[in-house]
Amino acid sequence: MKGKVIVVTSGKGGVGKTTTSANIGTGLALIGKKVALVDADIGLRNLDVVMGLENRIVYDLVDVVEGNCRLKQALIKDKRYDGVYLLPAAQTKDKTAVTPQQMKKLCDDLRVDFDYVIIDCPAGIEQGFKNAIAGADEAVIVTTPEVSAVRDADRIIGLLEAENFTSPKLILNRIRPSMVKRGDMMDIDDVIDVLAIDLLGVVPEDEKIVVSTNRGEPAVTDPESRAGEAYRNIARRIDGEAVPLMNLEVEEGFFSKLKRIMGLRK
Amino acid sequence: MASNPAIIKGTKDGLRIILDPEIPFGTIVSFLEEKFQANPGFFSGAVVTLEYGGRKLSREEQTEIQELIARNNLLLTETDDGRDEIPTMVKNNPGSDETLFLFRAVRSGQTVTYPGHIVVVGDVNPGSKLIAGGNIVVLGNLRGVAHAGAAGDEGAVVAAYRLQPTQLRIGDIISRPPDGPEEESHIPEVASIKDGFIVIEPYNANRSWQPDKKSV
């Protein structure tokens, strides 16, 4: 059965595309799928760092496309998580080093051996973006609940719709329920009101993401991480399971905290 | 590797013609003329978006290509050249009474241009632009830029279920929302020019609303 190629994009930089790609890719492997993670951010590669695999890079995507090596030689098998493979980007070239046609061929070669191919798209709408979407079947758009990110996401959705991506899905990242409650942050409905696409998941702001990035261990593998839990759910949804949205309101009120400290509740 | 002088793509909203940025203009014109003549049945009546592909066309070139399209019976609805001027097509067809209906959202970065009236059944998101020679009606949220009466008609109106544009233009007059905390409008509103200013009034279905036009 042919694998599915999903591009993770956003328009705006810094909203969590790489983190999302690493976590949903690893999340899918944790439920038994064989996943290829492709870093399409040539020149500013990050996916290798977030996955903790930078020391194992010998060949990269540009080498494969230029014929300097075979695809299998460039793919790094993650020894910690069964089923995760990484195709890193080149750090010394830039986005003109690859064409959309080459990316499409690469994706077609990958989908033969993998259940899912997750493409980490660079920020922007230029060549890097065009390359990243060239071989993809579906698109996942990541945005944070901020006006500027939503504006850029809307632009990207418009571009994707013009390229016949019929049903892009949304991940709302770094949401802070306490700020939403105070009215200081957009909530899910405000974002969907503008973007009008299906919601794939909501990921809460979580300090553990910073820790996991620095350690090179995706938060999805950490049972204590709220963001990790959200990503685990998203992976299951991608695989077709209907998983209800997490209850994000677990932030403790004062009395709750006091009771807990006094031993009156767990 | 030879590239096509122009790429013609089919989308669910009609055809998209994307001009090659490098190939000489004359070659592109001949190429398109040939294509249209070869398949009159297919192209006739088709709705077309023209993308200049990043090349700068002179006024003459723009007119030439727009006339080429019109001559072959295609309906040009958008020219995507990212420039902020009144598109030639609108200037050249003042008083057009045709209406363009869009049954989709207009997303950030998109521009819809039409010499007549534009009706959008959907939202117009911030970062997008509607430019009409006639009136603009949005059955949804209008949050982008709307320019009605773009060929100079100050009797044109802009109406929306929720009128929250980043900028409103009617004829030659530009107006923007007041600074300060946003007052959300929860009722349909109509913007028109009265005494030289853009005025926004609630749309009341009971009251018969008439534009301030001399000839109706």
Side-chain angles (χ1 to χ4, degrees):
Chain A
M1 193 183 92
K2 280 178 71 167
K4 201 186 261 191
V5 182
I6 302 176
V7 62
V8 178
T9 183
S10 69
K12 187 137 198 323
V15 299
K17 292 178 291 303
T18 301
T19 303
T20 295
S21 303
N23 278 286
I24 62 180
T26 307
L28 284 165
L30 291 176
I31 55 174
K33 306 294 169 187
K34 195 172 176 201
V35 181
L37 294 171
V38 178
D39 190 353
D41 199 346
I42 301 171
L44 288 174
R45 70 174 178 210
N46 280 310
L47 191 50
D48 56 307
V49 174
V50 168
M51 289 297 299
L53 296 172
E54 55 185 333
N55 296 336
R56 293 184 48 204
I57 299 178
V58 177
Y59 295 110
D60 58 53
L61 190 154
V62 177
D63 288 322
V64 174
V65 145
E66 288 182 348
N68 299 334
C69 71
R70 286 172 289 114
L71 181 52
K72 279 207 160 51
Q73 289 174 294
L75 279 168
I76 300 170
K77 183 180 181 347
D78 193 328
K79 298 189 173 121
R80 303 159 297 178
Y81 320 115
D82 199 23
V84 177
Y85 294 74
L86 170 68
L87 180 61
Q91 184 67 337
T92 53
K93 304 278 173 50
D94 65 37
K95 300 185 174 39
T96 57
V98 171
T99 68
Q101 292 81 356
Q102 288 170 324
M103 280 300 288
K104 183 164 187 326
K105 176 170 188 319
L106 179 68
C107 293
D108 287 339
D109 289 342
L110 281 168
R111 62 165 91 239
V112 173
D113 291 319
F114 289 90
D115 297 315
Y116 290 96
V117 179
I118 310 286
I119 303 182
D120 184 17
C121 182
I125 52 175
E126 299 82 18
Q127 183 70 24
F129 168 72
K130 294 186 178 142
N131 286 345
I133 66 172
D137 304 318
E138 290 179 18
V140 168
I141 290 132
V142 181
T143 187
T144 52
E146 284 159 334
V147 181
S148 44
V150 172
R151 183 77 59 95
D152 290 358
D154 191 48
R155 180 89 163 95
I156 288 284
I157 295 170
L159 293 174
L160 288 170
E161 284 175 345
E163 293 291 327
N164 292 322
F165 281 83
T166 46
S167 183
K169 303 273 191 296
L170 182 70
I171 291 180
L172 186 55
N173 196 17
R174 306 190 70 171
I175 198 160
R176 295 196 199 185
S178 53
M179 284 185 72
V180 171
K181 228 183 197 163
R182 292 199 306 263
D184 287 337
M185 183 179 262
M186 294 169 80
D187 75 9
I188 303 171
D189 293 324
D190 293 331
V191 175
I192 302 274
D193 187 40
V194 176
L195 298 180
I197 58 174
D198 292 337
L199 185 66
L200 179 55
V202 181
V203 182
E205 177 76 44
D206 187 352
E207 285 184 351
K208 296 203 169 69
I209 291 283
V210 178
V211 176
S212 70
T213 303
N214 290 335
R215 284 204 191 129
E217 292 168 6
V220 78
T221 60
D222 179 355
E224 306 279 305
S225 163
R226 303 275 295 151
E229 186 184 336
Y231 280 124
R232 285 193 288 278
N233 292 347
I234 288 171
R236 285 158 64 196
R237 286 187 203 116
I238 290 176
D239 198 41
E241 211 183 309
V243 182
L245 284 178
M246 262 165 69
N247 178 6
L248 294 172
E249 310 253 358
V250 188
E251 305 198 16
E252 284 187 19
F254 174 69
F255 285 107
S256 229
K257 219 174 199 153
L258 191 60
K259 284 184 189 164
R260 187 168 57 78
I261 293 171
M262 289 171 60
L264 290 177
R265 53 159 257 169
K266 213 174 67 162
Chain B
M1 187 182 83
S3 49
N4 275 326
I7 300 175
I8 304 178
K9 266 196 207 179
T11 72
K12 63 177 165 61
D13 292 316
L15 297 176
R16 230 178 156 75
I17 300 182
I18 304 165
L19 307 185
D20 184 275
E22 312 276 318
I23 292 186
F25 186 72
T27 312
I28 296 189
V29 170
S30 321
F31 172 80
L32 286 175
E33 184 82 62
E34 254 180 67
K35 274 257 178 241
F36 296 152
Q37 304 282 355
N39 276 306
F42 176 74
F43 285 109
S44 172
V47 170
V48 164
T49 301
L50 183 59
E51 251 184 67
Y52 292 150
R55 65 187 296 152
K56 297 244 170 283
L57 294 186
S58 68
R59 287 242 166 271
E60 291 75 33
E61 286 174 331
Q62 283 183 40
T63 311
E64 188 180 337
I65 202 160
Q66 287 170 16
E67 281 178 353
L68 163 68
I69 289 175
R71 233 185 4 252
N72 282 284
N73 236 339
L74 294 116
L75 179 59
L76 181 61
T77 60
E78 287 180 44
T79 49
D80 197 347
D81 59 356
R83 302 213 305 242
D84 214 357
E85 303 169 15
I86 311 296
T88 325
M89 144 176 61
V90 173
K91 274 214 177 107
N92 290 348
N93 288 295
S96 165
D97 223 8
E98 303 278 315
T99 303
L100 171 68
F101 279 86
L102 284 177
F103 291 92
R104 61 172 173 88
V106 181
R107 295 200 178 264
S108 182
Q110 295 175 347
T111 303
V112 181
T113 310
Y114 197 66
H117 314 287
I118 298 178
V119 172
V120 180
V121 182
D123 288 341
V124 176
N125 283 348
S128 66
K129 220 184 251 191
L130 302 178
I131 304 178
N135 304 321
I136 292 176
V137 175
V138 178
L139 301 186
N141 300 319
L142 171 50
R143 294 192 179 119
V145 172
H147 189 172
D153 179 7
E154 297 205 338
V157 300
V158 179
Y161 276 174
R162 277 175 79 188
L163 196 66
Q164 295 173 316
T166 46
Q167 222 184 72
L168 208 52
R169 305 174 187 172
I170 300 181
D172 292 324
I173 304 198
I174 300 180
S175 170
R176 60 177 173 77
D179 296 327
E182 192 186 297
E183 270 181 42
E184 297 252 324
S185 62
H186 295 288
I187 50 170
E189 289 171 322
V190 184
S192 58
I193 292 186
K194 295 205 157 52
D195 295 327
F197 291 100
I198 292 184
V199 165
I200 296 179
E201 297 168 294
Y203 172 69
N204 183 336
N206 291 332
R207 183 185 94 192
S208 135
W209 192 94
Q210 281 285 312
D212 206 16
K213 261 188 158 120
K214 303 259 161 41
S215 59
V216 169

